[in-house]
Amino acid sequence: MDFRDFEHKAPLQRIWDGMIPIELQLASADAIELLASAVLPEPFQTFYLLVPRVSYFPFMCTQIKERWLDPMFSISGSRTPGNSVIKESEMWFEYRGQALKWHYPVGLLYDMLVADVVGGQPELPWGLTLHVRKFPATKLVPGVGVQAMRDMFMAMIKEADFIRNGSTKKVMDLAKSDQMQFLDGLETHSFEKYFAIRSIIIPSQDARPPVSARGGGTAAGRTVPKAIPLKFYMQTMSAPEENERAVTAGAARQPDMSQFHVAQFPVPLMREGSAELTTLADAFKLCYEITGQNDDAFVGNCVCLSQGICVPWETPISWLADNLFYADCFLHLVV
Amino acid sequence: MTVEDIADYPYLTRKEFVTCMNQFVDRYGSAMAAVSETATSSSSSSSLADPASVRIVPGVTTPYLQITTTLRSHPCTPNIANNDQGDIEDRGNESGAGDIEDIEDADPCPPPPTAQSPGPTGHIDYHIVYSATWRVPTMYLRATHNGAMVLSTSEITRLLVSDRKVRGAIRAVDFGGALGIQDHPELGTPFMWLHPCHTATMLGAVVSPRDGVSVGTAEYLAAWISLIGPAVGLALPSVAV
């Protein structure tokens, strides 16, 4: 089944097209340093941009600088030319006191940090503060920039390849031009360019679950992956029981980046020793080694969010892997 | 201690990794904590001359191994993060070794005579964490030098790896070099990290079932550290088996 087949393309295309509107303000400390004023000149006070969920902040920095910061400085005339030098490697984003990890996809950060994404009125546009000074190198990986982002991204793709196929051969064998096209497709958000190369790494997308549980190649030419790359981002408190209490009490708290625990586990497509497909709940239990009965109820009380969609726990992982993956071929699931 | 076989060598399960850690600490823990009397300053890596603390940290999902040792470099090694060359703070390590009185220097100084041993300028934390994806241990590290955390991979390599050829080889690996920066999987803060994709191949090359050379849980981590340790300046003392 060719990925261009309309019927199967629709969910993929819609996920790819998912955007988050962002309203950016410049940190007042930086504004004072660069412009001698906490208030920015009239048309430049806020900057709006639409960022794809599957993309990353470092790819936006150039346009932010060229379309907002540079014109602002040349029109307003900053104090001294030397002071207003802004380097992309020093740009970082903050949401309500949280420094945003630049190597996380934008959609993931939104799902993690914005309250009420599930069944509420989530904040839109997403109000962020841009900083251009005092990069917090102990909290954020330093050296941010387009090339560093590309390297991180390719490392994730290698890992996804290894999990799915048992080796990194497919990624390592990509021609240089293919690799460039892949990255270009991501950076310019071009569905065609990106997917053309992705289908080399992950051959023929078939949205239907495999007919035969015995694996191997199927008539549709689909190879069954060894395991599915995914990451759970679980908001933790000290114990699962406390978590459950907070959920049932309907507590709406401001999520804190440091409270999230990230667990990564390659999940097999089928339940062990059975012909059934692994569900999301199975994956979660495997990852966190949950086996008790009480813990089953705990899972039922949690909500799993991916790509802004509340995912039912019984969904087969194979369907999720084919449709809700992010650009790095991983499923990022916020719990 | 019973040496257990590893079911799918060189790959480990989480449980096997925990066994390996425990056996490693049993075998090497005290040797690493003791000061080595015979180490010389010329070619041995920093960690042989200094005591290193070795302990298992519980972590959230999996326990990991932490080895802390002293960073030694020549007193005039410029610190990119901190321009203050005269300011050398000894963060030391948990065993409390290292004296700094002989290092103090008010002026930027010429390269020291080669016989002089490098002084302690900071400390290095090595965290050995299990990777569920690659099913091998992964090396994460963080170093402080002259009072500040080292933030660039080229700086770390320069401080920790004295052999130029090894440095070149590290940089030549695809996608930004073998040494990168990643969030620590248990702590969530940025650490230096060694790409684990070649670990399995290297470990596989060490055994020879035909000749009866195999690696069980008791030797696994030692073998792993001796293979990848040079890339990050970590070496092991020899111990009686």
Side-chain angles (χ1 to χ4, degrees):
Chain A
M1 192 66 64
D2 194 304
F3 78 87
R4 284 180 284 268
D5 183 15
F6 178 75
E7 201 179 45
H8 297 283
K9 181 191 179 192
L12 291 180
Q13 178 86 61
R14 287 168 64 185
I15 294 285
W16 180 261
D17 288 342
M19 298 275 195
I20 297 182
I22 291 186
E23 182 186 281
L24 270 188
Q25 310 230 327
L26 185 62
S28 36
D30 295 346
I32 291 172
E33 184 190 323
L34 297 168
L35 292 172
S37 158
V39 178
L40 303 179
E42 189 43 45
F44 296 107
Q45 273 159 9
T46 46
F47 184 68
Y48 290 90
L49 70 162
L50 212 51
V51 180
R53 266 182 163 275
V54 299
S55 188
Y56 300 83
F57 280 115
F59 296 140
M60 306 296 137
C61 288
T62 313
Q63 51 161 315
I64 290 174
K65 184 168 179 294
E66 288 174 2
R67 288 162 51 187
W68 181 32
L69 300 174
D70 287 345
M72 173 164 64
F73 288 125
S74 56
I75 288 179
S76 69
S78 57
R79 283 189 298 186
T80 51
N83 273 358
S84 63
V85 169
I86 292 180
K87 289 190 232 162
E88 285 179 32
S89 58
E90 287 176 31
M91 288 169 80
W92 55 284
F93 297 84
E94 174 229 323
Y95 175 62
R96 298 201 181 173
Q98 307 279 322
L100 299 186
K101 289 186 190 278
W102 55 265
H103 57 287
Y104 280 20
V106 175
L108 172 63
L109 288 166
Y110 185 83
D111 290 342
M112 283 170 82
L113 295 176
V114 176
D116 295 332
V117 178
V118 180
Q121 301 269 8
E123 181 181 335
L124 284 172
W126 193 17
L128 299 180
T129 307
L130 172 70
H131 293 257
V132 296
R133 291 283 184 266
K134 295 206 181 108
F135 190 88
T138 48
K139 289 197 195 140
L140 296 184
V141 176
V144 62
V146 172
Q147 188 53 48
M149 188 63 241
R150 285 181 186 157
D151 289 342
M152 278 272 199
F153 179 75
M154 290 310 294
M156 289 292 278
I157 295 284
K158 262 211 302 193
E159 208 176 329
D161 190 17
F162 184 81
I163 295 174
R164 289 187 81 105
N165 304 318
S167 82
T168 53
K169 195 169 185 314
K170 289 208 164 73
V171 175
M172 302 307 278
D173 282 352
L174 281 180
K176 193 77 182 169
S177 56
D178 283 345
Q179 200 187 309
M180 288 290 110
Q181 183 182 326
F182 193 51
L183 289 167
D184 194 37
L186 175 67
E187 290 169 44
T188 56
H189 200 234
S190 157
F191 187 82
E192 288 74 27
K193 281 188 194 170
Y194 171 81
F195 270 96
I197 308 300
R198 189 180 184 279
S199 40
I200 299 177
I201 302 174
I202 297 178
S204 50
Q205 295 306 298
D206 190 45
R208 298 180 305 231
V211 171
S212 158
R214 280 168 285 286
T218 66
R222 178 183 201 233
T223 43
V224 177
K226 285 192 154 65
I228 301 295
L230 56 77
K231 281 184 164 183
F232 280 107
Y233 299 79
M234 180 155 92
Q235 206 174 339
T236 54
M237 290 174 229
S238 46
E241 298 77 31
E242 273 196 37
N243 218 351
E244 190 179 313
R245 252 183 269 133
V247 166
T248 49
R253 296 164 51 253
Q254 171 58 46
D256 182 328
M257 211 84 213
S258 59
Q259 279 177 340
F260 280 96
H261 178 262
V262 184
Q264 178 172 332
F265 200 79
V267 174
L269 220 48
M270 304 291 171
R271 284 186 179 157
E272 199 163 326
S274 102
E276 290 167 9
L277 296 168
T278 321
T279 64
L280 184 59
D282 294 335
F284 186 73
K285 288 183 213 163
L286 260 180
C287 201
Y288 285 96
E289 293 180 351
I290 294 173
T291 44
Q293 290 286 26
N294 288 340
D295 296 322
D296 271 351
F298 160 64
V299 171
N301 268 332
C302 290
V303 169
C304 183
L305 200 58
S306 183
Q307 299 280 14
I309 300 167
C310 192
V311 185
W313 287 102
E314 327 74 66
T315 318
I317 291 281
S318 57
W319 189 88
L320 292 177
D322 287 339
N323 292 288
L324 291 192
F325 58 84
Y326 279 77
D328 55 8
C329 303
F330 268 78
L331 282 172
H332 296 283
L333 306 152
V334 181
V335 180
Chain B
M1 125 179 63
T2 49
V3 173
E4 290 159 34
D5 283 327
I6 294 170
D8 188 18
Y9 183 85
Y11 301 108
L12 293 177
T13 61
R14 249 181 221 178
K15 281 209 181 92
E16 285 168 347
F17 176 71
V18 174
T19 312
C20 290
M21 276 200 300
N22 285 320
Q23 292 182 338
F24 177 82
V25 173
D26 283 345
R27 190 179 271 194
Y28 287 91
S30 31
M32 293 185 78
V35 178
S36 165
E37 301 288 339
T38 55
T40 61
S41 61
S42 52
S43 57
S44 57
S45 87
S46 54
S47 54
L48 273 184
D50 290 299
S53 81
V54 181
R55 62 192 187 100
I56 297 179
V57 179
V60 179
T61 42
T62 333
Y64 60 91
L65 190 63
Q66 177 170 331
I67 299 176
T68 305
T69 183
T70 311
L71 173 64
R72 283 183 180 273
S73 52
H74 289 291
C76 303
T77 305
N79 184 8
I80 290 170
N82 180 358
N83 287 327
D84 203 353
Q85 281 199 332
D87 181 299
I88 295 172
E89 216 181 281
D90 177 18
R91 291 296 184 88
N93 54 47
E94 280 156 64
S95 307
D99 47 351
I100 54 168
E101 291 83 38
D102 50 338
I103 313 305
E104 207 53 53
D105 211 328
D107 309 313
C109 56
T114 43
Q116 182 181 346
S117 112
T121 55
H123 74 281
I124 319 164
D125 285 318
Y126 298 96
H127 290 210
I128 297 166
V129 188
Y130 177 71
S131 162
T133 306
W134 306 93
R135 294 186 292 148
V136 288
T138 331
M139 173 65 83
Y140 288 83
L141 66 148
R142 191 169 54 175
T144 42
H145 172 61
N146 289 345
M149 191 145 78
V150 180
L151 297 172
S152 85
T153 50
S154 43
E155 174 77 352
I156 272 261
T157 313
R158 198 181 56 77
L159 286 169
L160 296 178
V161 183
S162 43
D163 189 329
R164 284 227 165 88
K165 278 191 226 152
V166 179
R167 269 193 250 166
I170 293 172
R171 291 212 184 99
V173 174
D174 236 344
F175 301 139
L179 196 60
I181 306 185
Q182 269 278 11
D183 281 341
H184 188 292
E186 296 289 321
L187 299 175
T189 48
F191 268 69
M192 306 279 171
W193 169 70
L194 267 185
H195 284 266
C197 42
H198 298 300
T199 301
T201 321
M202 284 200 287
L203 282 169
V206 163
V207 302
S208 171
R210 208 178 33 182
D211 303 319
V213 178
S214 67
V215 173
T217 49
E219 299 98 13
Y220 189 96
L221 278 179
W224 179 77
I225 292 178
S226 26
L227 287 170
I228 62 120
V232 290
L234 180 62
L236 294 176
S238 43
V239 289
V241 172

